[in-house]
Amino acid sequence: QVQLQESGPGLVKPSGTLSLTCSVSGASITNFFWSWIRQPPGKGLEWIGYVYYSGSTSYNPSLRSRLSISLDRSRNQFSMKLTSVTAADTAVYFCARDPGSASPSSWFDPWGQGTLVTVSS
Amino acid sequence: QSVLTQPPSASGTPGQSVTMSCSGSGSNIGTDTVSWYQHLPGTAPKLLIYSNDQRPSGVPDRLSASTSGTSASLAISGLQSEDEGDYYCASWDNSLNGYVFGTGTKVTVL
């Protein structure tokens, strides 16, 4: 059974960097597409970006200038960093797997439970 | 910045059926597949449907989905209390070169 678990600081100061890690168990990260998705309070889901097992990435154009996503194969984890954060980046952040092989499959399964990150001074 | 439009709410009594729509465009639903998720606050979203109409193992056949042109729909028959939650559609968008989600539909069992 594949399980994903997000971890990272729950509070980040404005203009700071939001850093999160997703730990994967039950499957090797050296396959598939690995995504970050967020949900601001009271709003819907927004795809942030993905990293492919090869290390290639794709980012939401609205976040591309502030975002980086990477893999840590030795720890079976992947991570995201979002710089210059504002209150608008306050959200529950989820990590999820797209089980596509050579190209994205267009669905996510499974997801992590999510972690709330608040941007505030 | 949801690209896919869903009705904000849907409801029914136990045993009834509810249907919800997901409206997109030629750059997403019109050219790529649709998936559906159920999300309860504080939990991991659950995949209900992938590749437009396929149910993963463990998802009851009371749930069915279809697509037509640039729209998709999800139907739940024999409504049960466990069906309450927020439902989201999703697809790949070739113009944005990324995934897009629907605005979400809150299902209430009366």
Side-chain angles (χ1 to χ4, degrees):
Chain A
Q1 181 183 2
V2 181
Q3 293 186 313
L4 284 69
Q5 180 66 59
E6 305 87 352
S7 60
L11 181 64
V12 181
K13 294 187 185 304
S15 78
T17 297
L18 186 160
S19 298
L20 295 173
T21 295
C22 182
S23 299
V24 180
S25 59
S28 173
I29 206 170
T30 57
N31 205 342
F32 310 123
F33 295 80
W34 303 93
S35 273
W36 288 98
I37 296 156
R38 69 181 182 180
Q39 183 177 36
K43 296 187 178 181
L45 299 168
E46 178 185 32
W47 175 71
I48 296 170
Y50 72 62
V51 58
Y52 188 35
Y53 80 93
S54 64
S56 64
T57 55
S58 179
Y59 299 151
N60 187 317
S62 68
L63 299 171
R64 184 174 294 143
S65 63
R66 301 190 290 131
L67 179 65
S68 67
I69 301 177
S70 60
L71 287 172
D72 185 337
R73 295 179 180 83
S74 65
R75 297 186 177 188
N76 217 43
Q77 297 174 337
F78 64 105
S79 301
M80 64 165 285
K81 291 186 187 298
L82 186 65
T83 62
S84 304
V85 297
T86 69
D89 295 309
T90 294
V92 175
Y93 285 76
F94 299 94
C95 55
R97 181 188 69 171
D98 174 330
S101 52
S103 62
S105 68
S106 301
W107 68 85
F108 302 102
D109 184 50
W111 298 55
Q113 287 210 319
T115 186
L116 174 63
V117 179
T118 301
V119 178
S120 175
S121 55
Chain B
Q1 76 211 58
S2 298
V3 175
L4 307 179
T5 302
Q6 300 180 243
S9 63
S11 62
T13 57
Q16 282 188 330
S17 298
V18 294
T19 300
M20 64 199 82
S21 60
C22 173
S23 178
S25 69
S27 63
N28 40 67
I29 295 177
T31 52
D32 212 305
T33 60
V34 177
S35 55
W36 291 89
Y37 306 87
Q38 179 193 35
H39 184 215
L40 303 176
T43 69
K46 176 186 177 183
L47 176 67
L48 299 176
I49 298 287
Y50 66 96
S51 293
N52 296 333
D53 58 5
Q54 301 299 300
R55 285 187 307 276
S57 173
V59 174
D61 59 7
R62 301 186 294 106
L63 276 69
S64 61
S66 63
T67 60
S68 178
T70 59
S71 293
S73 63
L74 175 70
I76 307 174
S77 62
L79 204 58
Q80 300 179 5
S81 58
E82 67 196 47
D83 296 324
E84 286 201 330
D86 297 320
Y87 289 73
Y88 292 92
C89 57
S91 184
W92 180 267
D93 191 291
N94 291 307
S95 293
L96 296 177
N97 198 31
Y99 302 91
V100 289
F101 286 95
T103 48
T105 296
K106 185 176 185 63
V107 170
T108 302
V109 181
L110 302 171

